[in-house]
Amino acid sequence: MIRRRVAVHLHVFYPEMLEELVACIRNIETVCRKGRVDVGATCPVGRDDIRERIGDLLPAAWLIEVPNAGYDVGPFFEFLDKIDLDDYDYVVKLHTKRDKPLDWVNFRRFRGGEWRQALLSFCSTVEAARKSIRAFERNPRLGVVADRRVMDPSGIAQGDFGWRKVDVLRRLGFHPTRFTFVYGTMFMMRASLLKAVQHKVRISDFNMVERPHVDYGLAIEWEMAL
């Protein structure tokens, strides 16, 4: 048993995808022990169907209703506002992501649920969750664990958005010379690293989502900055 404290943020927009993510959370609980994993779930205001589904599958999770703004990124900052990062070793970010006929991500082709499956691979089995945490323990300089297929250490695949990310970080006083981006932003991260951005932005700073994947604005800039 690995005795580490983990905070999991789960953003739910598509309740039909929830069971897959709950299975991943159970894998992390198996590795770290259930009482050492806290789950904070967010969902859009007024979605009683989602609230009920979360209550059924994750009765111990605490739930925050949020405006439908910033996709999964805005709610993540709302979650960070509610926790004390000193209480945790790692933070896990998960969100419901639908199947798509075709996506080109990081110069790779993903069909159906392949992109989501790649994103979840760090905790999709008990052994994967154990391997992720042990990777942190073996390498004190390791900050984030995610699937290699969705990680872009060069910035080339980010195009113009990469520059927008740098601008966001510079406004916070950071001057990055090298960075790695996880396309789709599902990962496990050292909790201490998130102190640098905690309380720096609120969900009210993000655009409301009028149509899926249109006008990302600040959401995609922060997605890349995380």
Side-chain angles (χ1 to χ4, degrees):
M1 184 74 69
I2 297 175
R3 294 185 176 275
R4 294 290 182 268
R5 290 298 306 273
V6 181
V8 177
H9 173 239
L10 172 64
H11 181 62
V12 184
F13 188 83
Y14 304 109
E16 65 274 16
M17 312 301 301
L18 184 55
E19 288 190 22
E20 183 178 19
L21 301 183
V22 171
C24 291
I25 293 171
R26 300 296 183 225
N27 294 334
I28 297 169
E29 290 177 338
T30 297
V31 172
C32 297
R33 200 175 66 188
K34 188 173 182 178
R36 301 183 71 82
V37 179
D38 294 333
V39 181
T42 52
C43 73
V45 173
R47 290 292 303 272
D48 292 339
D49 58 326
I50 295 179
R51 288 179 58 92
E52 292 175 6
R53 192 72 177 135
I54 293 172
D56 290 341
L57 294 176
L58 293 167
W62 44 276
L63 179 65
I64 312 170
E65 288 188 289
V66 295
N68 188 21
Y71 297 89
D72 56 282
V73 179
F76 180 62
F77 282 98
E78 190 74 6
F79 164 80
L80 287 182
D81 273 345
K82 308 297 184 185
I83 66 173
D84 185 343
L85 289 170
D86 287 330
D87 290 341
Y88 300 100
D89 298 289
Y90 309 113
V91 171
V92 171
K93 182 177 179 297
L94 303 174
H95 59 93
T96 54
K97 192 173 188 63
R98 292 182 299 175
D99 293 358
K100 295 185 179 181
L102 176 66
D103 258 316
W104 285 91
V105 180
N106 201 25
F107 302 116
R108 289 177 171 84
R109 184 172 64 182
F110 292 92
R111 292 184 182 276
E114 291 176 344
W115 184 6
R116 182 182 69 255
Q117 291 158 13
L119 283 163
L120 292 173
S121 66
F122 73 91
C123 60
S124 58
T125 66
V126 171
E127 185 53 38
R130 183 177 291 109
K131 182 178 178 181
S132 296
I133 293 178
R134 284 179 173 166
F136 285 113
E137 295 181 336
R138 292 190 183 109
N139 183 1
R141 294 177 59 84
L142 181 64
V144 179
V145 168
D147 192 286
R148 290 182 181 274
R149 291 170 290 175
V150 294
M151 297 180 75
D152 176 13
S154 68
I156 294 174
Q158 299 172 33
D160 292 338
F161 287 117
W163 292 108
R164 290 165 64 177
K165 172 177 81 171
V166 171
D167 287 341
V168 167
L169 291 171
R170 284 176 176 167
R171 289 198 297 270
L172 292 175
F174 302 107
H175 301 282
T177 57
R178 184 180 178 185
F179 43 78
T180 297
F181 169 56
V182 180
Y183 286 92
T185 51
M186 294 198 222
F187 50 70
M188 182 180 290
M189 179 182 289
R190 289 191 190 278
S192 58
L193 295 180
L194 286 164
K195 290 181 180 181
V197 297
Q198 190 181 33
H199 311 311
K200 295 293 193 301
V201 63
R202 298 290 188 274
I203 195 168
S204 58
D205 297 324
F206 292 85
N207 294 337
M208 294 295 291
V209 178
E210 303 296 339
R211 289 180 293 164
H213 307 102
V214 175
D215 188 22
Y216 287 99
L218 187 64
I220 197 167
E221 294 173 12
W222 268 109
E223 179 179 9
M224 291 188 168
L226 286 170

